[in-house]
Amino acid sequence: MKTETKRASQVPPVTRNTVQRTLVLQAVQSLCNHPTSADVYDVVRSHYPNISRATVYRNLGVLAKRGDVLRVEVPNGADRYDFHNEPHYHVQCRLCGNIYDVDMPPLDDLAQRIVDTHGFKIESHQIIFEGICPSCQN
Amino acid sequence: MKTETKRASQVPPVTRNTVQRTLVLQAVQSLCNHPTSADVYDVVRSHYPNISRATVYRNLGVLAKRGDVLRVEVPNGADRYDFHNEPHYHVQCRLCGNIYDVDMPPLDDLAQRIVDTHGFKIESHQIIFEGICPSCQN
DNA sequence: GTATCTAATGATAAACAATCCTAATAGACT
DNA sequence: AGTCTATTAGGATTGTTTATCATTAGATAC
């Protein structure tokens, strides 16, 4: 009989805790206002100068998939990351482009208001408000 | 006295009707399912082979600003354009990435539900649902 | 119709975000 | 300590969009 492989084919791979991944997570948590990957890269590099851009991107993706950080994909610009990981909505300033959290309870029943889903299986939604932030109103 | 210039400095420039701009608009109107700029470029080029990519981008921007087409900026991919120009929401398939219109009346009072706007002037919002389209459910 | 003004074009370069590639490395297990 | 393989660094590459600039061609006035 053939020797059993250590891991059945369906089992997901072990995710390892590398120093780079830990530093990326800490960087997102230390930056409170929705940093871009470039912001995260800059912070991590100040502690670990040889880290690669690709590693930062890869780990932001892994952490977002895990649920450790929230990835916010905004119009017209780089993705933002948020240590705040329960679902919430965002507002973007039309002038400076900055992103802020919106103080509004999530609309859990929103998908049920769709009149005809045309067979779509709706799983989630995001809302992005657009406006002008207080400091750009001058 | 200094000769008056033909146009006072605040008057917006005349927008000209070029054949290229007309073709771009017609292409968006002929493509019903949220074409990307690349889709539009392909269609226009079949009628007008020497058009530049830059001209297509430029005109999609002009037409969107005019309100003749709607620009839909979606996560993870190129902007989409829509001949349908009254506000509505969209749903994106998580697997194939295609965009479809959502059959739901717009939530005009949504911004009023924000508990604390922190001084933000909210002007508009967009909602993007995510799910799996009928053909990807197999 | 002709002249004038300047918005718009075509072609290319550049900016920007994000992913791919490959040999080498280093966590997580025995 | 040894094995396995997920992960890394670094650079190349892709994809989308904008910037630049000399040239062209709408719009308007004459």
Side-chain angles (χ1 to χ4, degrees), chain B residues 19-95:
Chain B
V19 284
Q20 292 93 336
R21 183 164 297 163
T22 305
L23 287 169
V24 169
L25 178 56
Q26 286 174 355
V28 175
Q29 289 171 338
S30 77
L31 293 166
C32 289
N33 251 20
H34 306 85
T36 63
S37 65
D39 299 329
V40 174
Y41 176 62
D42 289 340
V43 169
V44 175
R45 208 167 34 151
S46 71
H47 302 299
Y48 194 97
N50 280 355
I51 198 166
S52 167
R53 254 176 220 284
T55 300
V56 173
Y57 276 105
R58 243 185 323 235
N59 279 318
L60 286 171
V62 170
L63 294 170
K65 188 167 284 183
R66 272 192 191 171
D68 292 336
V69 303
L70 192 69
R71 190 202 300 253
V72 187
E73 289 159 322
V74 298
N76 262 333
D79 292 352
R80 310 301 190 97
Y81 295 87
D82 193 347
F83 72 98
H84 208 196
N85 56 4
E86 60 266 27
H88 59 279
Y89 305 130
H90 294 92
V91 57
Q92 181 170 37
C93 176
R94 179 161 61 78
L95 299 179

Side-chain angles (χ1 to χ4, degrees), chain A residues 37-63:
Chain A
S37 66
D39 298 328
V40 175
Y41 176 62
D42 288 341
V43 169
V44 175
R45 208 169 32 152
S46 72
H47 301 301
Y48 193 98
N50 281 356
I51 197 166
S52 167
R53 255 174 220 285
T55 300
V56 174
Y57 275 107
R58 224 182 298 121
N59 279 318
L60 286 171
V62 170
L63 294 170

